[in-house]
Amino acid sequence: MLVKLSSSALKKTRWYEYGVRFVLGGLATVFAGIIGQYFGAAVGGLFLALPAIFCASATLIESHERRAKANVGLAGARRGQQAAALDAAGAGLGSIGLAGFALTFWATAETNVVGAFAAAILAWMIVSVSAWWARQFFLRRFSSLGQLARLPRPDVE
Amino acid sequence: MAEYLLRFIAGGVIVSAFAMLGDMLRPKSFAGLLGAAPSVALATLGIAVVQHGPPYAAAESWTMIFGAIALGCYSLAVCHILMRSRLAALPASIIAFAVWLAIAFGLLAGLGGAA
C-alpha cells in the first residue's frame, strides 16, 4: 500500500481542533516537567511517553469519519470507531519507534547532545516505518490467522 | 513561571506539528505512527539538557523506554476495545489509561531507573 501526503486533508480539521491539540500538547509537556521536578528523572522519564494527546487525536479522527458519513446521509459511528482503532494500531507500532528514540538518545546523549537528538529522531523514523511495513507484510501473508484477522486490516483504510 | 510557559509553547508547537503531519498522511494506520511521535520528549529533553545537563536527560530517556513499552500496550488495548465493543474513542482511550499506568510503573518497579 502506498503512503500518501495530502495537504487537502487539513481542510477537514476545524480551527478549534488545532487549538485543542496545541493546548493539550502544551499541558502534557508542562505536566511531564512537573512530574520530573517533584519525583525525579526516573518517574519523569515515564511521562515522556504519556498518551496525553492520543485521547484527543482518536476522538477527532472518530468525529471526522462520523461527519463524513453523516454528510452522505449514513450513520458513521462504527466507521468512526474503526478509524480510531486503526490510528491506535499505528500508534502501537509507533511506540516501538518511540522506544528506539529513547534507547538511541540514552546511548548517545553524553557524547554529543545535538547528534543524540538527530540520531534519536532518525531511529524513531526508521524503526516506526519498518514496523509498519512489517505489519503490512505480515497481514497480507498470514491474514488467515484468527487473532490477527480481528485487528483492523489494511483494506479497511 | 517563564520555564512553564516555555514548556507549554514548545510542547504545543511540536505536538501540533506532528498532528498536522499525521492529518496529511494516508493510510490511517501509517498516520497513526505519528500518534507515538516523540513530541513531548523533544521539548522536555531539550529543556532537561539545558537545565540539568546530558546525564539527567539520559536518565530520563532510559525510563522513557518503559513508558514507550506501556504506550504500545495502551494502544493495543484501545484498538481492541474499539474493535470489540461499542465504546466511543474517548471513553475507550481513558479506560485503557489504566493499562499504561500499570505497565509503566510495573516496569519501573521491576527494572528500576538506574542504568
Side-chain angles (χ1 to χ4, degrees):
Chain A
M1 180 175 287
L2 277 177
V3 175
K4 295 174 189 168
L5 190 72
S6 164
S7 61
S8 64
L10 291 176
K11 291 172 191 164
K12 287 183 187 173
T13 307
R14 295 174 178 177
W15 66 268
Y16 66 85
E17 293 173 343
Y18 290 115
V20 167
R21 285 162 166 177
F22 180 88
V23 170
L24 280 177
L27 289 177
T29 309
V30 170
F31 181 67
I34 291 171
I35 293 285
Q37 279 175 352
Y38 283 92
F39 298 100
V43 176
L46 295 177
F47 286 80
L48 301 187
L50 183 74
I53 315 304
F54 186 86
C55 301
S57 297
T59 307
L60 290 181
I61 287 166
E62 185 184 42
S63 69
H64 284 180
E65 289 297 325
R66 200 185 297 141
R67 208 185 301 154
K69 285 285 177 188
N71 286 343
V72 292
L74 298 170
R78 189 62 190 152
R79 176 72 183 181
Q81 281 179 309
Q82 287 177 335
L86 267 175
D87 188 63
L93 297 172
S95 67
I96 303 170
L98 195 63
F101 172 96
L103 188 64
T104 306
F105 188 85
W106 169 76
T108 56
E110 292 186 55
T111 51
N112 182 332
V113 172
V114 176
F117 275 108
I121 290 172
L122 192 65
W124 168 69
M125 287 170 62
I126 291 170
V127 174
S128 297
V129 173
S130 301
W132 184 81
W133 278 114
R135 175 183 180 262
Q136 296 296 107
F137 177 82
F138 194 73
L139 281 178
R140 280 193 172 78
R141 286 285 183 280
F142 306 104
S143 59
S144 59
L145 288 176
Q147 182 64 22
L148 282 166
R150 299 179 76 167
L151 289 171
R153 301 279 307 281
D155 52 12
V156 178
E157 300 166 41
Chain B
M1 192 64 196
E3 183 205 325
Y4 292 131
L5 188 65
L6 176 68
R7 282 182 191 277
F8 182 81
I9 293 171
V13 167
I14 297 172
V15 164
S16 299
F18 276 116
M20 285 174 75
L21 184 60
D23 282 347
M24 291 191 287
L25 284 167
R26 290 289 178 276
K28 287 187 182 68
S29 63
F30 189 85
L33 294 176
L34 278 291
S39 38
V40 173
L42 281 173
T44 307
L45 289 175
I47 293 168
V49 165
V50 174
Q51 275 190 334
H52 305 287
Y56 183 91
E60 277 197 319
S61 65
W62 176 254
T63 50
M64 184 187 161
I65 298 170
F66 304 155
I69 294 167
L71 180 63
C73 298
Y74 166 86
S75 304
L76 287 179
V78 173
C79 183
H80 278 278
I81 290 170
L82 286 170
M83 293 304 290
R84 292 161 197 263
S85 76
R86 292 282 162 192
L87 277 180
L90 186 61
S93 54
I94 290 172
I95 288 168
F97 189 62
V99 173
W100 185 87
L101 285 172
I103 303 281
F105 282 95
L107 285 171
L108 182 64
L111 301 173

